[in-house]
Amino acid sequence: MIGPGSDAKVLIYTRPVDFRCGIDTLVAKVQHELHMSPWAGVVFVFRSKRKDRLKILWADGTGVWLMTKRAESEQGFAWPQPSDGVFRITAAQMAALVSGMDWRRHRAPRRVIGPKVEACASA
């Protein structure tokens, strides 16, 4: 499958960006506004003003990917409140966001740890 793995670090750039921006402009935003390296394997998600479009910038070690999606539903994507900076989500939450689901309702599954059962030695 093309795309980052389930252990990817995902950051949402919270302010809307001009969607005419290409790879070079978004790389420059990451470097100069966020003071981060776009080459570190981190997935950066950018939003449009209308909430119905997103761009994903990701460097996989061989090059830079720029993926774009437009929501077909009228409500668009669920975004955090715009502010200066970034908002971290999990790769599973990004998958929910890209699917049009409310990623804020998606939580990592709880791992249930049961008691250890030891075999009884018969006398």
Side-chain angles (χ1 to χ4, degrees):
M1 182 173 114
I2 296 174
S6 61
D7 60 342
K9 180 179 177 182
V10 182
L11 299 174
I12 296 177
Y13 184 80
T14 57
R15 292 188 309 180
V17 297
D18 182 349
F19 255 52
R20 296 174 289 183
C21 293
I23 289 176
D24 295 330
T25 305
L26 295 176
V27 164
K29 276 192 182 302
V30 170
Q31 290 174 321
H32 300 295
E33 292 183 26
L34 302 178
H35 306 288
M36 299 181 77
S37 171
W39 320 113
V42 176
V43 179
F44 296 94
V45 181
F46 298 90
R47 60 171 285 185
S48 69
K49 214 176 211 184
R50 294 189 292 176
K51 295 185 177 184
D52 68 336
R53 296 160 200 234
L54 62 80
K55 285 189 176 185
I56 299 172
L57 182 75
W58 173 56
D60 67 356
T62 63
V64 180
W65 290 85
L66 181 60
M67 298 165 257
T68 305
K69 184 168 184 177
R70 180 182 67 209
E72 295 298 323
S73 68
E74 293 179 16
Q75 68 188 31
F77 298 105
W79 295 103
Q81 292 297 319
S83 64
D84 293 332
V86 295
F87 188 87
R88 184 169 181 179
I89 61 174
T90 66
Q93 288 173 319
M94 182 185 75
L97 169 69
V98 171
S99 298
M101 297 167 44
D102 188 350
W103 58 271
R104 295 166 290 200
R105 295 178 183 263
H106 189 83
R107 302 278 186 248
R110 290 185 180 178
R111 192 173 70 166
V112 178
I113 301 173
K116 291 184 180 181
V117 178
E118 295 183 23
C120 295
S122 52

